[in-house]
């Protein structure tokens, strides 16, 4: 077992809340993932994790799905869809992970915090809230590949218009439990 796998195992076991990137930004990220990290492109759609990897840890797997749905439904119903700027690519320190950061303040943070105050249980988070869309996770990057990735830009906005709730039990594929549209005014 690799060190990376062991380090990520605890964070990749639980129930995560994310928003899949659709439209032009989603297509651009998918193309980049296919080029630089085909395994990532096969395993997950382009997305931003709202709960599970930073700020708030994953929801424990023994939490009833109806409890999660009951907690998230009023939040989704009162949260307006968002159009957010994807920042230039960034490499997480001491890793080969490259992502497109989003502003950790404003409506995305408000959504994250509202979920955190929903009464749902969360495992401990390992990092502060750092919303992002991952471009490359699995391969070891050469200097050339890193330069290429960091030079890319996704100019289309990230459209955040629904929440997807996934059961994640790596190395098994994640399972979509349900999704909720953001319909607030």
């Amino acid at each position: 077992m690799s060190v990376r796998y062991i380090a990520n195992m605890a964070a990749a076991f639980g129930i995560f809340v994310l928003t899949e990137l659709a439209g032009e930004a989603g297509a651009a990220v998918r193309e980049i993932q296919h080029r630089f990290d085909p395994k990532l492109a096969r395993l997950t759609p382009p997305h931003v994790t709202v709960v599970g990897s930073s700020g708030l840890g994953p929801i424990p797997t023994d939490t009833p799905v109806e409890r999660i749905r009951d907690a998230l439904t009023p939040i989704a119903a009162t949260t307006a869809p968002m159009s957010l700027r994807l920042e230039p690519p960034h490499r997480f320190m001491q890793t080969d992970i490259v992502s497109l950061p989003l502003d950790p303040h404003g409506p995305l943070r408000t959504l994250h915090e509202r979920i955190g105050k929903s009464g749902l249980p969360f495992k401990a988070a390992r990092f502060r809230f750092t919303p992002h869309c991952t471009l490359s996770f699995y391969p070891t990057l050469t200097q050339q590949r890193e330069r290429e990735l960091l030079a890319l830009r996704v100019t289309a906005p990230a459209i955040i218009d629904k929440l997807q709730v996934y059961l994640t039990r790596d190395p098994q594929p994640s399972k979509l439990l349900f999704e909720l549209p953001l319909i607030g005014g």
Side-chain angles (χ1 to χ4, degrees):
M1 221 179 257
S2 74
V3 172
R4 172 184 272 176
Y5 180 78
I6 292 168
N8 287 301
M9 192 184 313
F13 190 85
I15 297 173
F16 287 64
V17 180
L18 55 94
T19 183
E20 296 175 10
L21 295 184
E24 193 177 335
V29 169
R30 171 70 69 193
E31 182 179 314
I32 293 167
Q33 289 174 338
H34 275 291
R35 182 173 163 205
F36 289 90
D37 191 345
K39 181 177 180 179
L40 178 64
R42 273 193 322 273
L43 293 176
T44 64
H47 66 276
V48 175
T49 303
V50 180
V51 169
S53 61
S54 66
L56 297 167
I59 299 166
T61 57
D62 60 353
T63 307
V65 172
E66 283 311 309
R67 179 177 177 197
I68 300 168
R69 186 188 311 271
D70 289 347
L72 296 181
T73 296
I75 294 170
T78 56
T79 300
M82 303 169 214
S83 176
L84 304 174
R85 181 175 180 266
L86 292 161
E87 301 289 334
H90 157 94
R91 181 176 175 181
F92 284 106
M93 291 173 67
Q94 300 176 355
T95 74
D96 285 327
I97 301 169
V98 176
S99 67
L100 297 168
L102 289 105
D103 184 354
H105 308 288
L108 193 55
R109 174 170 292 282
T110 300
L111 175 62
H112 174 79
E113 289 176 353
R114 287 182 70 204
I115 294 171
K117 295 175 184 172
S118 68
L120 290 170
F122 300 97
K123 295 181 181 179
R126 295 176 38 210
F127 307 102
R128 64 186 167 90
F129 184 54
T130 54
H132 63 276
C133 181
T134 302
L135 296 176
S136 181
F137 182 84
Y138 292 102
T140 299
L141 295 175
T142 64
Q143 286 184 342
Q144 175 64 29
R145 295 295 271 182
E146 179 183 356
R147 276 194 301 274
E148 289 175 42
L149 261 171
L150 295 177
L152 296 171
R153 299 294 182 265
V154 175
T155 57
I159 305 301
I160 309 294
D161 63 358
K162 63 183 87 152
L163 298 177
Q164 286 90 8
V165 178
Y166 276 91
L167 172 63
T168 303
R169 294 182 184 205
D170 280 349
Q172 300 172 10
S174 295
K175 176 185 174 190
L176 177 65
L177 300 175
F178 65 91
E179 68 178 31
L180 297 168
L182 301 181
I183 55 174

